[in-house]
Amino acid sequence: NLRSGAQVDYRGANVTAETLAAVLTGNTSAQTPVVLESNASTDVFVYIASHGSPGSIVFPAPDASLSAQKFTALTDTMAREGKYRQMVFFVDTCFGESVAANATAKGLLYFTGANKNEPSLGAVYDSNIRQWLSDEFTENVLEALRDNPHITFRDLYTTTYEQVTGSHVQLLNTKNFGDIDTEVMKFLSP
């Protein structure tokens, strides 16, 4: 079930690395009519929960993966074209670190629940649809945000690193992001 009022712009086979890139860079087409209309003063938050393999995020459609090379090219392009002021990715996949290991875009922060060599373990299972909904990482991030709505990226990293037991939480590109003592909710509130 979708949350009341939530609108889904893309689903299933329409969710690909190319769709994500078009949405984030603001490139409209017949396949991507709804895109992010951002500029150099926009803060962007991206949450991805999916499968991962070493060096990529796996999307539902065949051959639709977002490779580490594509991720770095995408974030470099967005930085160069002034598509954001700061951009935060929360990525809940196996081998999550491997996607952003070479990313160095200014203003980019990448937070994931698994290092480049390990899976991320499931935590929330929906028996009605017989599917894992999220991993330990997402569950612990949500719990930390509920417990402390003013938590900073630094403290969220520390808290989740200590709570996630099946993998190693990673926070990447901190030196190019800026102040990691910024409150996370700044990126989650309209």
Side-chain angles (χ1 to χ4, degrees):
N1 292 339
L2 296 177
R3 287 197 169 129
S4 177
Q7 295 179 350
V8 176
D9 297 314
Y10 304 98
R11 66 177 71 214
N14 294 322
V15 179
T16 67
E18 287 73 27
T19 303
L20 178 64
V23 168
L24 290 177
T25 56
N27 293 322
T28 59
S29 70
Q31 292 76 32
T32 56
V34 179
V35 298
L36 184 63
E37 296 176 12
S38 60
N39 59 44
S41 62
T42 305
D43 289 331
V44 176
F45 179 84
V46 180
Y47 172 75
I48 298 174
S50 189
H51 294 287
S53 62
S56 69
I57 296 171
V58 179
F59 288 108
D63 302 317
S65 296
L66 178 63
S67 69
Q69 182 180 6
K70 287 179 185 176
F71 180 83
T72 300
L74 170 62
T75 55
D76 285 350
T77 297
M78 290 182 72
R80 185 175 53 256
E81 294 179 359
K83 296 292 184 178
Y84 64 88
R85 183 183 75 85
Q86 288 185 304
M87 183 165 54
V88 175
F89 278 81
F90 277 29
V91 178
D92 191 351
T93 67
C94 295
F95 312 103
E97 177 189 24
S98 67
V99 173
N102 296 320
T104 59
K106 185 174 177 10
L108 171 69
L109 188 66
Y110 186 92
F111 191 41
T112 186
N115 74 27
K116 63 184 177 182
N117 299 312
E118 65 190 3
S120 184
L121 301 181
V124 178
Y125 185 77
D126 185 325
S127 59
N128 293 326
I129 62 171
R130 292 181 270 162
Q131 181 70 37
W132 289 97
L133 301 178
S134 69
D135 293 347
E136 280 187 294
F137 172 69
T138 294
E139 186 66 14
N140 282 282
V141 164
L142 292 174
E143 184 177 316
L145 288 169
R146 281 190 294 268
D147 289 348
N148 179 2
H150 300 288
I151 197 166
T152 65
F153 287 107
R154 179 189 312 272
D155 291 340
L156 183 61
Y157 166 71
T158 303
T159 298
T160 54
Y161 189 91
E162 292 171 350
Q163 296 298 316
V164 173
T165 60
S167 59
H168 297 87
V169 173
Q170 302 293 309
L171 187 62
L172 304 172
N173 204 44
T174 57
K175 68 180 181 195
N176 293 320
F177 175 69
D179 185 7
I180 63 171
D181 289 314
T182 299
E183 289 185 11
V184 176
M185 290 306 291
K186 173 181 176 224
F187 286 82
L188 300 177
S189 300

